[in-house]
Amino acid sequence: MRKKEANWIKRTVWFCAVLLLITSCKSKKIVTDGTADTNLSAKAIIKSHYKNHLDFKTLRGRMKIDYTDGYSSQGFSVSLRIEKDKAIWISAPIGLVKAYITPKRVTFYNKIDNEYFDGDFTYLSNLLGTELDFEKVQNLLLGQALFDLRDEKYIASVNQGNYQLDPKKPGELFTTLFQIEPQNYKMATQQLSQPKQRRFLEIEYKNYQKVEQRILPNDIAIKATEADSQNLIDITYKNIEFNKPLRFPYKIPKGFKEIVLK
């Protein structure tokens, strides 16, 4: 792997930590959209969303990531392992770049530049302008709402075949919009914007698939905009297996230089 490719992976791993979605391809079947009921209340929609959460202990597989910032593009594949509520592990080919995320720690290292980062969720929170933690990251990985929809009141409508939830009370620091697909009540779109800071984040779950009686996202498109810069990420996941014994090999090599992300 060339140094340029490793640098792309290093930059993208931060987006992946917040925005990755878990999908699979073994015996997969693409789930078609259902028909939205215009009479369904926001409370009923939200209740169904949480009722259909994904239940598993461990998950492993691979994902292909295509990334562009408007000037350059890069595509690569990484390995992914998750132990629910405990750990997320990402590794580039032959371990040149690795990331390890737990409820208390966000860390990665890069063997090409002999450097590492080891900290908490502060950088990721500053990046998106809202407080993040492991649970929020995991929710995104599983096609669940970033925020707990049960904590707010929403107005429900049907938009392009999906249920749309608009907060009754606008947020003070940012605005949100959620769309839920009617077939499995998983997320279709999540939007978070901060107009004053000219920040906008959109996560579009293009479709879902059914694997081993579990409903997972299949493809995702991510758009993160700040001022005049924009990052686009397309993700496709493959070869996911559930509930297999997993190891999370991660050790920062000796002699690496610690980096500070601002």
Side-chain angles (χ1 to χ4, degrees), residues 233-259:
I233 304 172
D234 291 317
I235 300 173
T236 302
Y237 291 81
K238 302 179 180 180
N239 303 330
I240 295 297
E241 296 180 297
F242 291 102
N243 301 332
K244 303 291 184 180
L246 292 184
R247 294 175 58 250
F248 296 87
Y250 186 88
K251 184 177 181 181
I252 298 172
K254 292 183 179 179
F256 276 31
K257 179 182 178 181
E258 184 174 6
I259 60 177

Side-chain angles (χ1 to χ4, degrees), residues 89-107:
W89 178 95
I90 301 167
S91 179
I94 65 174
L96 288 182
V97 178
K98 281 189 179 181
Y100 185 56
I101 305 167
T102 67
K104 295 183 179 180
R105 185 185 184 196
V106 177
T107 179

Side-chain angles (χ1 to χ4, degrees), residues 86-250:
K86 295 183 179 180
I88 300 168
W89 178 95
I90 301 167
S91 179
I94 65 174
L96 288 182
V97 178
K98 281 189 179 181
Y100 185 56
I101 305 167
T102 67
K104 295 183 179 180
R105 185 185 184 196
V106 177
T107 179
F108 76 82
Y109 65 77
N110 170 16
K111 289 185 177 180
I112 299 298
D113 295 325
N114 293 334
E115 61 185 14
Y116 75 93
F117 172 84
D118 194 356
D120 56 22
F121 286 86
T122 301
Y123 173 77
L124 297 178
S125 298
N126 291 338
L127 179 67
L128 296 182
T130 185
E131 184 177 354
L132 293 174
D133 55 28
F134 186 88
E135 183 179 7
K136 289 186 176 70
V137 173
Q138 184 173 254
N139 285 343
L140 284 173
L141 296 176
L142 303 179
Q144 293 293 118
L146 174 60
F147 302 102
D148 193 334
L149 301 178
R150 296 165 293 192
D151 292 340
E152 302 289 341
K153 293 184 178 181
Y154 294 86
I155 299 172
S157 61
V158 175
N159 187 348
Q160 297 182 339
N162 295 314
Y163 294 113
Q164 180 164 308
L165 300 175
D166 294 283
K168 286 187 175 181
K169 183 179 179 181
E172 295 182 0
L173 300 178
F174 50 83
T175 60
T176 59
L177 180 146
F178 301 97
Q179 288 190 353
I180 296 176
E181 52 86 20
Q183 178 75 9
N184 307 287
Y185 292 90
K186 306 291 284 185
M187 297 307 301
T189 301
Q190 302 195 62
Q191 292 182 356
L192 172 64
S193 62
Q194 294 177 289
K196 292 183 179 180
Q197 289 76 19
R198 298 176 65 190
R199 286 178 172 176
F200 178 75
L201 173 67
E202 180 179 66
I203 308 164
E204 179 187 358
Y205 302 70
K206 292 185 175 181
N207 50 50
Y208 281 81
Q209 57 181 299
K210 187 174 184 179
V211 182
E212 299 177 9
Q213 303 305 311
R214 293 177 173 89
I215 303 299
L216 303 163
N218 188 60
D219 295 297
I220 179 175
I222 301 160
K223 178 167 63 176
T225 302
E226 182 171 5
D228 297 325
S229 64
Q230 185 176 87
N231 297 281
L232 303 176
I233 304 172
D234 291 317
I235 300 173
T236 302
Y237 291 81
K238 302 179 180 180
N239 303 330
I240 295 297
E241 296 180 297
F242 291 102
N243 301 332
K244 303 291 184 180
L246 292 184
R247 294 175 58 250
F248 296 87
Y250 186 88

